[in-house]
Amino acid sequence: MSAPQSAGVSGTYQDDPPSPHAVMELSTGLWAAKTLSAGVDLGLFEYLSAFPGKGVDEVASGLALPRRSAQLLLTACASLGLLRREGSGYRNEETAEHYLIADRPYSLTGWIALLDRSNYAGWMGLSTALRTGRPTTWDSDTQESLFDNTDPSARAAFWAGMDGVSRYTATRLGKAVDLSGVTRLLDVGGGGGAYATQLCRMYPGLTVTVYDLPFVCEITADMVADSGVAERVLFAPGDFFADQALPGMEAVLLSMVLHDWDEQECLSILRKCHAALPSGGQILISELLLDDSGDGPVGAALMSLNMLVETAGGRNYARGEYCAWLDSLGFVDVRVVDFHGPGSNGVVIGVKP
Ligand SMILES: C[S@@+](CC[C@H](N)C(=O)[O-])C[C@H]1O[C@@H](n2cnc3c(N)ncnc32)[C@H](O)[C@@H]1O
């Protein structure tokens, strides 16, 4: 009997193709994401935090689920590394304890709820977004930008979601960069107040002014009221496109702001930041920076694609693009300081001569 013929990639049979597992895993990535968001939505991690070690029957009755649902969800969450099997029961892994319970300082439950509420539906239309170049999470015929949403609960959900991602990221930035010489920082598009509160906690001599749209300043004032540093978080309501000038400060921060806008819009914001700074003042741009090589990293590349789904003209920009913009505006000592956060992998810094 002769050995089977290899027909190559275009035929029907090949002896030794590469493993399909990576493609299979990508194809079911949505299942994993939805397992996580359903676990959060149903309060699974909160239940197991209060009652560690409970088994399928108790979880089913505690969460008012059919037994089969509880069993499948528990097994899936354990397989994804969110839960740990303990005897006949389950308990939260440490990451679930930190990030999947609502009242924890670095909770990501607001972020996960935001994705579930509006973002995933937009991603379901990714091919449409790619073909048309238009966002799919909001109607660009009737709304001017992502931030025009008039639904109060959607507004609250957006800044609660951002807060979860940005709190941890802000502490990473505050450790990566020494801000001890700065007393007054302008947080442009600083809605949610995560950077303002975290940096004020880390730097007792610092006052942060959040410059954002008037309704966002109102939401943010409520969000920071109980932060313990509210007296050092000030507000300057405004619109960085409509306003001629931004309030003058020693340093300006832009976190996850520029990726919402196209290149001309970014340069217009950056020009106003430059004008607002004194000689020696610093600009800090915190983003998920793309590599100049155009092939990653994956977090920045997918956030960039997310900007297609979520914005009219935004994308994540590469390190070299940001540096070139700052150079062209006359900033000196332009450099990137790397760090690792969910909302940023580095900060581009420039100094006004
Ligand atoms: C993606 S969020 C980033 C929030 C915050 N910097 C962070 O990293 O958590 C973008 C912010 O830009 C603000 N923004 C959008 N358009 C603006 C405008 N025209 N003027 C001022 N702020 C604006 C939004 O309200 C929002 O707070």
Side-chain angles (χ1 to χ4, degrees):
M1 207 158 103
S2 61
Q5 294 288 303
S6 173
V9 287
S10 59
T12 54
Y13 178 80
Q14 196 181 357
D15 285 348
D16 194 18
S19 165
H21 286 104
V23 173
M24 188 64 187
E25 203 169 313
L26 287 174
S27 73
T28 57
L30 180 71
W31 299 355
K34 286 297 300 179
T35 301
L36 171 67
S37 63
V40 168
D41 184 40
L42 294 168
L44 173 64
F45 307 103
E46 269 142 14
Y47 178 85
L48 285 175
S49 184
F51 306 107
K54 292 292 184 197
V56 174
D57 290 315
E58 289 117 323
V59 170
S61 83
L63 302 185
L65 300 176
R67 187 180 193 285
R68 174 168 164 258
S69 303
Q71 184 178 24
L72 274 51
L73 180 64
L74 286 163
T75 305
C77 286
S79 77
L80 292 170
L82 302 172
L83 304 180
R84 177 167 79 241
R85 188 80 203 243
E86 193 180 71
S88 60
Y90 293 85
R91 69 166 56 228
N92 288 333
E93 286 288 7
E94 208 186 337
T95 44
E97 277 294 317
H98 279 279
Y99 300 112
L100 301 182
I101 293 173
D103 61 3
R104 301 287 150 88
Y106 295 110
S107 176
L108 287 170
T109 55
W111 167 251
I112 292 163
L114 173 66
L115 296 184
D116 215 25
R117 173 191 177 113
S118 56
N119 176 269
Y120 292 155
W123 275 83
M124 292 302 145
L126 180 61
S127 299
T128 304
L130 286 162
R131 281 195 197 97
T132 61
R134 289 159 64 100
T136 45
T137 54
W138 51 277
D139 182 358
S140 53
D141 282 334
T142 56
Q143 235 176 279
E144 207 173 304
S145 92
L146 165 67
F147 304 104
D148 284 351
N149 195 329
T150 51
D151 171 359
S153 72
R155 288 175 169 197
F158 180 83
W159 279 278
M162 284 303 310
D163 187 58
V165 172
S166 292
R167 273 194 198 199
Y168 183 94
T169 311
T171 59
R172 297 292 109 183
L173 178 134
K175 283 183 182 172
V177 177
D178 181 9
L179 293 174
S180 53
V182 179
T183 58
R184 294 190 318 137
L185 173 80
L186 185 69
D187 188 358
V188 174
Y195 277 82
T197 51
Q198 294 300 93
L199 293 177
C200 282
R201 286 184 183 124
M202 296 173 83
Y203 291 97
L206 183 66
T207 296
V208 177
T209 300
V210 172
Y211 173 88
D212 208 306
L213 299 166
F215 80 88
V216 181
C217 286
E218 275 174 34
I219 293 172
T220 305
D222 286 343
M223 290 174 74
V224 306
D226 296 329
S227 63
V229 290
E231 73 288 351
R232 287 191 284 124
V233 179
L234 311 178
F235 292 94
D239 178 330
F240 47 54
F241 294 122
D243 295 348
Q244 294 288 317
L246 306 183
M249 300 277 157
E250 288 163 57
V252 167
L253 169 68
L254 291 149
S255 157
M256 291 188 116
V257 170
L258 296 179
H259 74 173
D260 291 329
W261 307 104
D262 69 27
E263 187 164 341
Q264 287 318 311
E265 290 165 330
C266 289
L267 284 167
S268 137
I269 297 167
L270 288 172
R271 258 182 229 110
K272 291 177 189 175
C273 292
H274 183 268
L277 286 167
S279 172
Q282 292 184 69
I283 188 164
L284 301 110
I285 303 172
S286 177
E287 290 276 358
L288 286 164
L289 304 167
L290 281 162
D291 292 337
D292 296 318
S293 52
D295 56 3
V298 67
L302 291 183
M303 184 59 84
S304 194
L305 201 49
N306 188 48
M307 292 301 115
L308 184 75
V309 167
E310 293 267 16
T311 73
R315 68 179 173 90
N316 282 51
Y317 297 94
R319 295 157 178 268
E321 289 179 288
Y322 280 120
C323 292
W325 292 350
L326 293 192
D327 284 338
S328 74
L329 291 169
F331 286 99
V332 296
D333 296 335
V334 174
R335 66 195 198 279
V336 180
V337 176
D338 292 302
F339 64 92
H340 194 55
S344 171
N345 56 7
V347 55
V348 186
I349 302 175
V351 178
K352 182 169 171 178

